[in-house]
Amino acid sequence: MKNIDKKYKQKVLIVDDEPNNLKLLGQILQNEYELSFAINGPKALEAALKLIPDIILLDIMMPGMDGYEICKQLKTNPKTLKIPVIFVSAMGEVEDEHQGFNVGGVDYIAKPVSAPIVLARVRTHLAMYDQNRLLEETVRQRTEQLRLAVQKRELY
């Protein structure tokens, strides 16, 4: 698994149409993660498919395609379906958070952001994502072992 290699930095895609927000989140995360940035929905979807980040921080209010629509599209593509999405938004109403969870987000951080909260939530969701990938790989390996054992048994 990638994260066992201490030299590997997990990939974070940050999506926001405001350069200052990209800069701030970048400063918070730059020492621990490999960062990529997108300034709108189409570029975010393109970057997610090309990079396959380990997590995505996604603004909601953007011109053209909003964060909810981006998340919906990510969750319909098998290549990006399991990537955790954390919404980072100034939209702080309960309904906004609820909608974020309904479209597939795993968490919601209100702007203005707090560096310790951003770091803690990114770490937490990356740890859970890594555990899920490890469990899926273990299940895949065990399934293959069982398939081979059954196949061998059928030969005798």
Side-chain angles (χ1 to χ4, degrees):
M1 181 137 239
K2 295 187 281 191
N3 64 333
I4 293 173
D5 179 2
K6 296 297 180 196
K7 294 178 184 172
Y8 173 78
K9 278 191 168 187
Q10 291 171 302
K11 296 180 284 189
V12 178
L13 174 60
I14 303 171
V15 183
D16 200 308
D17 61 319
E18 290 292 327
N20 288 338
N21 293 334
L22 293 173
K23 183 178 179 183
L24 176 60
L25 288 168
Q27 288 172 339
I28 292 168
L29 299 168
Q30 68 185 352
N31 292 331
E32 293 189 38
Y33 305 102
E34 180 183 320
L35 304 178
S36 299
F37 303 91
I39 59 170
N40 60 40
K43 289 183 192 262
L45 295 171
E46 180 183 331
L49 284 170
K50 181 179 176 186
L51 304 169
I52 309 296
D54 297 296
I55 197 164
I56 298 172
L57 301 183
L58 181 58
D59 184 30
I60 295 173
M61 295 185 297
M62 293 184 288
M65 184 185 302
D66 69 19
Y68 298 133
E69 181 58 33
I70 296 166
C71 190
K72 284 181 199 173
Q73 290 193 30
L74 291 167
K75 298 305 175 185
T76 61
N77 187 319
K79 291 182 178 180
T80 56
L81 168 70
K82 295 182 181 180
I83 299 170
V85 174
I86 297 177
F87 286 104
V88 182
S89 181
M91 298 171 61
E93 297 298 319
V94 172
E95 296 81 26
D96 301 318
E97 290 185 43
H98 186 255
Q99 186 171 355
F101 291 122
N102 280 342
V103 298
V106 297
D107 208 340
Y108 195 101
I109 300 172
K111 291 179 184 174
V113 299
S114 159
I117 288 173
V118 170
L119 283 167
R121 293 197 179 165
V122 167
R123 284 184 195 130
T124 296
H125 288 290
L126 283 172
M128 288 190 299
Y129 186 49
D130 284 344
Q131 284 299 313
N132 285 338
R133 288 188 285 192
L134 182 61
L135 288 171
E136 287 172 0
E137 179 60 19
T138 302
V139 168
R140 189 197 62 72
Q141 289 174 356
R142 273 302 285 145
T143 301
E144 181 61 15
Q145 290 170 350
L146 290 170
R147 186 191 66 75
L148 291 172
V150 168
Q151 188 178 40
K152 184 178 178 182
R153 189 177 224 188
E154 288 173 354
L155 289 174
Y156 295 106

